[in-house]
Amino acid sequence: MKSVLESFSRRRVLKGVLGATAVTVGLPFLDCFLDTKGQALAATGQQLPVRFGTWFWGLGMNSKVFVPKKYGADYDLPEEIASWKSIREHVNLFTNYRVLLDGRPNICHYSGWVAIRCGQAPVERGKLPGQSLDVTVSDAIGGGTRFRSIQMTAEALPRDSYSFRDANTINPPEVSAHEMYTHIFGPDFTDPNAADFKPDTRTMVRASALSGVSDDITRLKKVVSQNDLARLDQYFTSLRELEQRLALELEKPAPAEACTKPGALATEEPPLDMSYVNIGARHKLMTDVLVMAVACNQTKVFNMMWSESSSNIIKPGLSQGHHGLTHEELIDEKLGYQPNCHFLTMRAMEAYAYFIEAFTKVKEGDGTLLDRMLIMSHSDHEFAKVHSVIGIPMMTAGKAGGRIKTGLHINGNGGPNTLLSLTVLQAMGLSVDGFGGGAMRVDKTVSEIMV
Amino acid sequence: MLFGSMYSRKYVLAVLMAGIVASSPGYLRAADVRPIEVPTPADARLISQDQFKNVLSGVLGEKIKTAMRFAPVPRVKGLLAIGASSVTITPAQFAQLEAAARAIADQVADAGHRDYLVPCTAPANQTAAQACLRKFYSNVGRLLFRRPLLESEVSGYTQNALKFSQLQGGDFYRGLASSFVTMLLAPDFLMTIERTEPDTAHKGSVRLDAYSKATRLSLLLWNSYPDEELLEAAEKGELHTRKGLERQVTRMMSMPQLENGAEGFFKDMLKFEGFDQLSKDPTIYPEATPAFPPEVAQSTLLTVIDHVIAQDADYRDLFTTRTTFVNGDLATFYRLPTSNPLEYTKIQLPPDSLRAGLITQLGFLAEYSHPGRSSPTRRGKAIREVFMCQVVPDPPPNVDFSGFQDPKSVSRTARERLTIHRTNPVCAGCHKVTDPMGLALENFDGAGKYRATENGASIDPSGELEGTKFSDAAGLGKILHDSPTVTSCVVNRLASYSLGRALNADEGAWTAQLLKDFASQGYRIKALLQDIALSDTFYAVPQPKSQLDAPKYTSLGTAGRAKQPKRTEGATS
């Protein structure tokens, strides 16, 4: 094994003098980070990045009290989304789209969200037909920050993540707001607005130590089979990601005018149960940490899960969780929907409103953080009681740096949900002219929202 | 896998079995009549979360905190172990591993722990420091990489430690820790990369090299990496002899780490990840606090491991046992006193109790229920899938629940509510195989507490399974105890777990032999583990079809190997 310092230097990841401050390598912003209007951040002359995120909730909605009657701008807010009052101008709602199964089974609580994220319905549970679209976006824009993406689950379930390269490479979620805070704003955080900056010797040593691992992988790659080679390639890719992250930490970060390092979380981690109250409390804490993580340029991609697709969130006092209720709760004849399911979906939409609004409260450039973001949201079903994948509700929030119009209710007229998936990819600056497979393959976008 | 594409079913490994005659009594007599088997590909796989913890606790000592949450692994064909065979390290996970590696390395070198592993104190000069570092990396690296380190590796870690020390104010221990991070993140540690070598006894054939063989063995029996003694046996070639292998297997079976091995299997088979999702409505079950899920998980694990390892009892008795483990919280559910509420105590439930068997204990009952009520369907489905290895299909997406929604219904018990499951032909296809078993457990509510009635109505727990009628949960347990489906299930699961892949149809003869031995040896899991550990199939690898396919990654041999320093106490665990 060669000296790691020698090999580190030779690979020219960093040029500089260890122990001193003259570290010069920077990772330039890619074009797709930039907003289309070329608005520049006055303080630095650098243009602001556009960020992407997803927000997921399980078990759909009750269309009678969720879907606005009016399409276009100033859409009405039925009871189930009444909490959107303060965010409606930032949110596009997409209804009347459908998942086309191509003769494949409608796998309950699975086919719908997989088709939206991967572009095609799965053949069977556990077999994902491709990577999730947030990973596609992250591959294009996720570099240049400490975290390529951040996943969170308000339900605190370690297996809850719909962000994946493939079925075997799932991005693990943060399950605790406090752990998430420490990961992002703990000892390894560098305040981008700090007046003084000196590269941390410990970071240099960390980078050098990683270089030794890189040599080990390179050695093994020469001798293993094709199957194992692919896995070592992924190992190597993951290592390189961290190396690039450390390289960033060794140079003075670009100032981030909206960044203020949050203090340690004032409230304790909510209890680990499935009560909507505690899940809501965790969701708020995680949202608050995430907003500053984005404002401080710690990540450009994130995925928040309010609940999993067959969620067991409970309304205390009922005998069943949300999933069980969707199937067994009576539809109230007068109301026309399931009251307790409605109650829990209301809580999800209130959480969504909190999430979106939180990004509007941070000023950045001549607008807000949300103006330079695009957050895509969707569920797994339309009406979970019958596992319907026709009419799964979807939303976008934010202007994506001026590329997206907001505040519209769009009628999909039965078109595939992937129309929005492709729209999102293009809005994020990816050079893709199609998305999905089979009947879900599309080469058009939702033109009504494109600037 | 090294030779997956060259896989040849025709290649017979009988040669590896020829002439093998078991010499020990008891468990060690089954492998002399092995049928022809299909080999397991020599492959590379990522270490699991539990293995990561077990290995580091064993090598670095129990006092080192090694908490690390791994990325989710898909469950394939009933086992995470199969899904784990194809997972990779994501960028997010690698970043977490690096943070964990730094925390672990810092602990190893800090003032409170360094005496355990670092073979020197404050070396006086560069020469002494170098010697100390070489010894440290050689000893620890040998256990983490499961082979002797090459000279280039030892000198690389040592030189880097010295340089890192200089960069950090001449702090010897910080240098040692920083270079140790490289070792903790090396694929040689985090992945089990198997190597093959020419089989000297059979020209043109290959076999697992001894170190890879030792790793397979220790992962099965200890869910951890080999200890020093097993590595020494590998180094001497003893694992390639029947006698040497038996000696090691016998030794390993007698060690406390065997419990870790059994835990690894049963946590996988019993779907322990489900406890992460367990949550009860505190307004309905106020006793089921947020501590309830980990407590019932622990109780289940202690009960199973005590039964199959400490007691070496008949696996089938898990379905009739009245033994369990409780702390103060759980004792209240059983309405029993406990001497030490803070510790888990082994207790015997009354002989006339309806609770007989694992499926009547809190862990199973609570995991397979709704947050606020029991679920005969979930419980029955779990019995079918977990203990009988059967697959119950998902419900149809357009399932009609109107039968449950009659506002005039006066159903008071689950049996009454679920009548539609049995009478509607669309539902009955699946529910007739799940509900009868689940209804037998209706004397226990959604949190597992006993109840004689539901909504004032008496509960009828009777039913029928595999043509035999039962009157209550204890009766169901007795049928499961006697069910050949249940015993063949655990044999197939353990065989599949040991190989890390689904069994092939061709391996039926192997599992049939295992099952036969399992029965003849009293259905003891320890016997089954030992049988597999001595099985040729367990170590088999695909064979090259031609010289062109000969292995390019072979055993290390002795070239370039670092001279092994004298072992230190801490590194021999």
Side-chain angles (χ1 to χ4, degrees), chain A residues 170-440:
Chain A
I170 296 170
N171 290 317
E174 299 281 356
V175 298
S176 151
H178 283 256
E179 285 181 14
M180 177 181 167
Y181 175 87
T182 304
H183 289 159
I184 299 170
F185 293 109
D188 294 337
F189 173 74
T190 300
D191 189 337
N193 299 322
D196 300 324
F197 175 79
K198 182 181 178 184
D200 189 337
T201 304
R202 290 174 306 171
T203 307
M204 295 178 189
V205 170
R206 285 172 64 194
S208 297
L210 288 185
S211 185
V213 182
S214 176
D215 289 348
D216 289 339
I217 298 172
T218 303
R219 171 178 53 79
L220 285 171
K221 282 172 68 175
K222 293 176 183 171
V223 295
V224 298
S225 70
Q226 282 299 314
N227 278 353
D228 294 340
L229 188 60
R231 300 170 72 190
L232 279 171
D233 277 339
Q234 178 60 46
Y235 201 124
F236 190 71
T237 300
S238 300
L239 175 122
R240 291 285 295 133
E241 291 252 357
L242 184 56
E243 284 186 328
Q244 288 170 1
R245 210 175 105 181
L246 294 180
L248 277 177
E249 291 178 24
L250 284 171
E251 63 176 293
K252 181 168 173 47
E257 66 159 298
C259 173
T260 305
K261 180 186 173 182
L265 300 185
T267 54
E268 291 186 357
E269 191 73 27
L272 285 173
D273 66 26
M274 296 297 283
S275 151
Y276 77 86
V277 177
N278 290 326
I279 288 169
R282 184 175 297 100
H283 178 266
K284 276 189 178 181
L285 289 174
M286 286 178 158
T287 299
D288 294 347
V289 176
L290 176 68
V291 167
M292 265 310 134
V294 173
C296 296
N297 292 330
Q298 302 301 295
T299 190
K300 295 197 193 85
V301 179
F302 56 83
N303 298 281
M304 169 68 92
M305 287 184 69
W306 161 260
S307 60
E308 65 166 330
S309 60
S310 51
S311 168
N312 248 335
I313 286 184
I314 59 172
K315 178 184 176 187
L318 301 180
S319 60
Q320 288 186 305
H322 194 175
H323 177 223
L325 286 170
T326 62
H327 293 309
E328 297 192 19
E329 186 182 18
L330 287 168
I331 295 175
D332 186 294
E333 290 180 1
K334 287 182 183 173
L335 297 172
Y337 54 81
Q338 299 163 291
N340 287 312
C341 291
H342 166 68
F343 175 90
L344 290 168
T345 304
M346 293 258 287
R347 303 292 83 78
M349 291 304 105
E350 286 168 4
Y352 175 70
Y354 181 88
F355 188 78
I356 300 302
E357 188 169 18
F359 290 101
T360 69
K361 290 182 175 175
V362 178
K363 298 295 176 192
E364 187 183 63
D366 56 1
T368 71
L369 204 52
L370 185 66
D371 291 337
R372 290 173 177 78
M373 298 174 69
L374 184 58
I375 302 172
M376 180 182 179
S377 305
H378 62 93
S379 192
D380 57 334
H381 286 299
E382 176 254 351
F383 189 35
K385 185 180 187 65
V386 295
H387 301 112
S388 169
V389 293
I390 297 173
I392 295 175
M394 305 184 292
M395 292 91 85
T396 64
K399 292 184 170 68
R403 290 174 176 155
I404 293 289
K405 299 174 190 170
T406 60
L408 303 172
H409 176 205
I410 306 296
N411 182 352
N413 293 311
N417 297 68
T418 39
L419 287 166
L420 180 61
S421 308
L422 179 61
T423 304
V424 161
L425 292 175
Q426 291 193 356
M428 290 309 301
L430 274 72
S431 180
V432 288
D433 55 10
F435 180 73
M440 293 291 281

Side-chain angles (χ1 to χ4, degrees), chain B residues 23-278:
Chain B
S23 57
S24 303
Y27 305 150
L28 303 183
R29 59 185 167 74
D32 52 343
V33 287
R34 289 279 162 262
I36 294 168
E37 293 114 355
V38 180
T40 294
D43 66 357
R45 65 167 56 208
L46 187 65
I47 192 171
S48 75
Q49 182 171 311
D50 281 354
Q51 288 162 358
F52 181 84
K53 176 174 169 291
N54 290 342
V55 171
L56 292 180
S57 295
V59 176
L60 308 179
E62 296 283 349
K63 291 182 180 175
I64 303 295
K65 294 177 183 171
T66 58
M68 169 69 204
R69 188 181 299 116
F70 277 44
V73 173
R75 182 171 284 280
V76 177
K77 305 285 184 190
L79 287 171
L80 296 176
I82 298 175
S85 65
S86 50
V87 298
T88 56
I89 291 187
T90 65
Q93 180 169 2
F94 190 82
Q96 291 173 8
L97 277 165
E98 193 261 352
R102 280 188 286 139
I104 291 164
D106 285 349
Q107 290 177 75
V108 166
D110 71 23
H113 301 93
R114 65 181 59 142
D115 289 350
Y116 185 74
L117 273 181
V118 181
C120 61
T121 51
N125 54 46
Q126 181 90 347
T127 305
Q130 196 163 342
C132 178
L133 290 165
R134 285 185 60 87
K135 196 170 180 180
F136 172 80
Y137 293 118
S138 298
N139 285 337
V140 178
R142 175 178 165 84
L143 292 165
L144 296 184
F145 291 2
R146 305 154 332 271
R147 58 172 173 79
L149 267 60
L150 301 171
E151 172 55 32
S152 59
E153 291 173 317
V154 175
S155 61
Y157 287 118
T158 300
Q159 292 307 313
N160 289 330
L162 293 171
K163 288 177 181 174
F164 292 155
S165 171
Q166 286 175 5
L167 283 168
Q168 296 174 101
D171 187 325
F172 170 79
Y173 295 105
R174 291 205 66 81
L176 179 146
S178 299
S179 188
F180 188 39
V181 169
T182 305
M183 182 177 277
L184 290 170
L185 294 174
D188 296 271
F189 166 53
L190 292 173
M191 298 181 80
T192 55
I193 300 167
E194 296 187 327
R195 299 168 175 82
T196 55
E197 64 183 8
D199 186 346
T200 50
H202 305 93
K203 192 176 180 183
S205 301
V206 296
R207 64 183 178 185
L208 277 183
D209 79 357
Y211 294 112
S212 301
K213 206 170 179 179
T215 300
R216 271 198 196 185
L217 178 59
S218 61
L219 287 176
L220 172 65
L221 295 184
W222 290 352
N223 204 27
S224 186
Y225 285 166
D227 65 354
E228 186 63 44
E229 193 168 337
L230 184 57
L231 287 175
E232 278 187 12
E235 188 162 346
K236 291 174 183 170
E238 292 175 5
L239 297 183
H240 289 316
T241 69
R242 183 71 187 177
K243 196 173 176 182
L245 180 62
E246 284 178 357
R247 186 183 305 120
Q248 285 304 316
V249 169
T250 303
R251 179 183 72 85
M252 294 173 74
M253 297 288 297
S254 68
M255 302 281 279
Q257 295 97 311
L258 186 65
E259 291 192 357
N260 292 339
E263 280 186 18
F265 169 65
F266 280 105
K267 283 172 76 173
D268 194 344
M269 178 180 169
L270 302 184
K271 300 184 177 179
F272 261 55
E273 75 275 14
F275 288 112
D276 290 336
Q277 295 178 296
L278 176 57

